[in-house]
């Protein structure tokens, strides 16, 4: 997604996740992944879950 697409409906996808955020620490702990996933319809979320790994292990063993 480009910046314009994310910023246009900002209050619909990010604001619900901002409940209780009153500090920088709380903002850093914000679950942006869930907020962005909520932009997708159910079928697209299912497709992403099936086609993309939840994590990737690099040759050094880091995940």
């Amino acid at each position: 997604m480009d910046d314009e697409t994310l910023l246009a409906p900002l209050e619909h996808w990010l604001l619900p996740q901002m409940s209780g955020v009153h500090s920088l620490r709380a903002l850093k702990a914000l679950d942006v992944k869930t907020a962005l996933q909520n932009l997708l319809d159910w079928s697209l979320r299912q497709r992403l879950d099936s086609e993309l790994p939840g994590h990737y292990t690099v040759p050094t063993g880091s995940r």
Side-chain angles (χ1 to χ4, degrees):
M1 293 191 161
D2 61 17
D3 291 345
E4 186 176 317
T5 303
L6 287 173
L7 292 174
L10 191 63
E11 67 277 357
H12 296 292
W13 70 269
L14 186 58
L15 191 58
Q17 298 295 322
M18 298 289 292
S19 177
V21 174
H22 301 291
S23 67
L24 182 56
R25 179 178 288 196
L27 185 61
K28 288 180 180 179
L30 187 69
D31 188 359
V32 177
K33 177 185 172 189
T34 298
L36 290 171
Q37 284 177 333
N38 289 336
L39 282 171
L40 308 174
D41 64 32
W42 180 251
S43 62
L44 188 53
R45 287 177 74 173
Q46 290 297 317
R47 184 173 172 201
L48 279 173
D49 287 345
S50 68
E51 294 185 18
L52 295 175
H55 68 278
Y56 178 76
T57 303
V58 295
T60 62
S62 296
R63 190 173 159 181

